Amino acid sequence: MYEYRPPLRDYRFVLHEVLKLQEETGIAGYAELTPDFTGSVLEEAGRIAREVLQPLNAVGDAQGCRLGEDGEVTTPEGFRAAYDMLREGGWPALECDPDYGGQGLPSVLGLAVGTLNSAANMAFMMYHGLTHSAYKALHAHGTEAQKRTYLPPLASGAWMGTMNLTEPQCGTDLGLITTRAEPGSEGAWSITGQKIWISSGEHDLAENIVHLVLARTPGAPAGTRGLSMFVVPKFLPDAEGRPGARNAVRCTGVERKMGLHGSATCAMAYDGATGWLVGEETKGLRNMFTMMNEARLLVGMQGLAVAQAASDQAVQFARERLQGRAVTGAQNPDGPADPIIVHADVRRMLLEQKAFTEGGTGFLSWVAMLNDAEHRHTDAAERERAADMVALLTPVVKGFLTDEGFRSATVAQQVLGGAGYVRDAGVEQLVRDVRIAMVYEGTTGVQALDLVGRKLGLKGGKPIMTFFDYVKGYIRDNEDDLHLAHQFLGPLKEASKDLQRAAMFFMQAGMKNPNAALAGAVDFLHLFGHVCMALVWSRMAKAASAALAEGTEDTAYYEAKLATGRFYMSRVLPATKLHLARIETGAEPVMDLPAASF
Amino acid sequence: MYEYRPPLRDYRFVLHEVLKLQEETGIAGYAELTPDFTGSVLEEAGRIAREVLQPLNAVGDAQGCRLGEDGEVTTPEGFRAAYDMLREGGWPALECDPDYGGQGLPSVLGLAVGTLNSAANMAFMMYHGLTHSAYKALHAHGTEAQKRTYLPPLASGAWMGTMNLTEPQCGTDLGLITTRAEPGSEGAWSITGQKIWISSGEHDLAENIVHLVLARTPGAPAGTRGLSMFVVPKFLPDAEGRPGARNAVRCTGVERKMGLHGSATCAMAYDGATGWLVGEETKGLRNMFTMMNEARLLVGMQGLAVAQAASDQAVQFARERLQGRAVTGAQNPDGPADPIIVHADVRRMLLEQKAFTEGGTGFLSWVAMLNDAEHRHTDAAERERAADMVALLTPVVKGFLTDEGFRSATVAQQVLGGAGYVRDAGVEQLVRDVRIAMVYEGTTGVQALDLVGRKLGLKGGKPIMTFFDYVKGYIRDNEDDLHLAHQFLGPLKEASKDLQRAAMFFMQAGMKNPNAALAGAVDFLHLFGHVCMALVWSRMAKAASAALAEGTEDTAYYEAKLATGRFYMSRVLPATKLHLARIETGAEPVMDLPAASF
């Protein structure tokens, strides 16, 4: 029976030997992030993931969420008890503002905890993830009274939250939203409309559910500039802030999905529901988007997390399953056959996963650190620099980690052969669950459009220049280390040049025809992702080499890091050339064909 | 509501304008393959696919197969009636030997019919596919008495068949099979053992089920050389050849799988079941493998078929779904938004699918024609040449069309966004269904091992030399056509050189260390697949250009072929460079890491 093994050693390596969090004293709260502290938080999170959440993953898949005739939604058996446990442990408050009942820990630790938990049970963690997004939106744009009402119960986990954007006629194109908000009495509004695909729209885990809803006010302009954000609680808070009268919002359906069955994806009907404006009228979409970066990092995290769980299981399977003999001679001569981990192609598959998940852990943690620097750094220039990098890298994290996370999970499934296709082993569920991460919070195509259409040109190209400068500086500072230079910095430099050439192509060709850039946008996103991974692998290789040079009892660990890094650089990174070749074909191959001829 | 549109026009193009079947008069039966004849067969097959099979696809997924307490398996509602209809239409006999009740039509037409039907309902068509494999095995290795008993009811579809290889302890490594066969009375044997993952092992579609079982006879050597093949019918044929006494074989479980729910995947218990030896004792595996090539072509066909259905649905969705505006100006100014087919990245996704499915149709049809030449050509040298090509290309068809077919289906799912993830639209089912094709009949890794470890060196390398000569000859014969040369033959030549370089690398490095070749085997398979696709696209481009030059009313069709071909050559084919780069890294990156360090 598979048991999830949280990669605690990898987090110690990434957080303390590569990123060296404690040395980043300019970021408020980082000095306290000692290896002992992060280690004990992650160990406990890993224990919960292994003992509580992972055993519920198959249960959630098998049972799904049921909509009763009363409009209430029942989550799978055990979800409520598990959530109560998390709540009692104070986990929902981890990253929340201490002024409103939170623990105020940085995002770099919050995302690591989220990764371990989502690896064990992505569907279960959806409830918390959406709550946290609603929390952030209210924290950023709510009035002080709204904050006092909603933030403490959201931070404690007593209440939970949702984001209501999608409608039947619009997913990506929110300008088509038709949900209306009419002014009511005492500053309240009356909300009417249909929303679909609302994660955690209705469930039985919390005392109250706080919906944030995009709707159109009377006379507001058409398109996205006419949208406002409203807070619409399931139960209207009474004078003491407790859940009071039932609001006119109800769940009319729970989607039947490919996966993520434990997460209630709801159709919601607002029928003159009472809501309150959050932030300024007609600024709803802009305000929603202030937390979009973090929501997208969370989804990228899901891609990584599920790939990590799948990879862990594939390795365990490959060590135990006996089939065939090593081509160079039996490795398990006393057994009926060798474990399949001896076969070159099985190792190739395991290494693809290992290189992705370990590199991805470094990549996501680095961006989480930049995110912390954006919000917590004492130096304004550092905050701005970090904000630029986060804006630039967020679509890359989201698109690359979900596309590659899904791919990696299917590779794990392939390692298991037939066992990967039947339900019992559970890997097929991971593939079905993680598939949605490439779609929600903006598809990979939407991320690529954001990256190429908006982020590249932001501030006259300053963020991308900052990124290239950082890579160049890193190479320059380390090229005296000949070993590192040959195996890591050389390929990094080469890949980075491919990225520069692609950006240059977009600037030139895209000026004449925007489709010349957009046709290669997803390739650009992946090219960018590989350069980030190459950078992170170079940094990890440096840290591993340093540890080996200093002398360590953990030789095998650091040597494995170097071997895995070399695999990435030599076998995975050359993908940048393919992406560049595709990008440089421009608009024609994609735009030539008339729509009727498809 | 989606309705399947069989690509009949593409088949007319491939079969009659590219492959020009009727001109291949050396292949028995090809002269009769007029456009009218193949057209009417495929039109009727397409009608059944659209009207009968596709509507049952979601039903099969939702209901699955149920094992009753009596050990009988019930297929989903409507399967029985649909199968009766196919049987009455004579479809199961299409490719069967006229001496035993078959119609004797060539494989090139049988595979086309199979593609249309499998596109509409892969799970349903599994029952026929396995029957046909059992038919082929008995036809090739049975005694005349066995043939007279089993072949006519298998050809008529009254009886159906299965292949029993896998056991709990062995899937790929059949040398570990423990099922025993003990000699019984009157030349019969007594079979005892457990088999798993037996497609169509038990069901309610037929009067009898004919199991072909690999088992070990007393004193037979260990490993694969000790296996013999037995025919073990569910009901023992009586003196008149009718189903008689119930045999001691029963279904003990139906697997719960990621997809393909309509296909009963059974655990089978043989408890002293009566069977008869088929072919010589201890030659069971070799005899099973004589029909392995065709079984693998069938699975490659499934990859293509499902991708084709997914692509068809993605195109229909992209034409109807309104989201956003074309970046170069509104294309549907009177509507609330433009259809998403205007967006460069959506077109990129649709073209990836189109280039794969149309090229794949040409590729598979070409190999089917070679398969026919192997078995039906009047000239012995042609038969041998074709047999070499089929042996070489079969693992490529199987591995490439299933890997890329799955990928293509996930791209279709991505075009649909959220609608691709919920059950209603049905594309997520296609993704779940086709996923198994990368695993059964030998995983992609096993195909690659067969290709690199066996087929490359076959007859001192004659098959691969035949292939390279064919490509070179084709380029030489056509390079006067400057347009074709520039856009198609140049890239084909380049890709073919990459393949030669990879083969050369394997010969040199693999001599010293077999893992230097095996580490790149899957990359080689994909590189090979791309070269085949480039060849096929070149041939299709030539045919399309010829039609345009001659004058045609179908200009848009042929221009679309050229545009799609250019997309393949410029945006997809450069993948050969990436595969070559990976191959040339050899064994080290894959073999370096100790098993304990994964």
Side-chain angles (χ1 to χ4, degrees), chain A residues 315-324 337-341 343 415-416 418-419, chain B residues 166-173 176 196-197:
Chain A
V315 169
Q316 294 193 27
F317 183 88
R319 286 202 182 114
E320 286 163 19
R321 174 75 172 168
L322 306 179
Q323 283 303 265
D338 287 345
I340 62 172
I341 202 167
H343 303 307
V415 171
L416 271 76
Chain B
T166 304
E167 299 184 2
Q169 76 288 359
C170 58
T172 297
D173 186 356
L176 303 178
I196 60 167
W197 296 339

Side-chain angles (χ1 to χ4, degrees), chain A residues 173 324 432 435 523 571, chain B residues 173 324 413 421 432 523 571:
Chain A
D173 187 355
R432 286 186 289 107
R435 179 64 185 82
D523 280 292
R571 285 204 47 128
Chain B
D173 186 356
Q413 190 182 22
Y421 195 67
R432 285 186 290 107
D523 279 292
R571 285 203 46 128

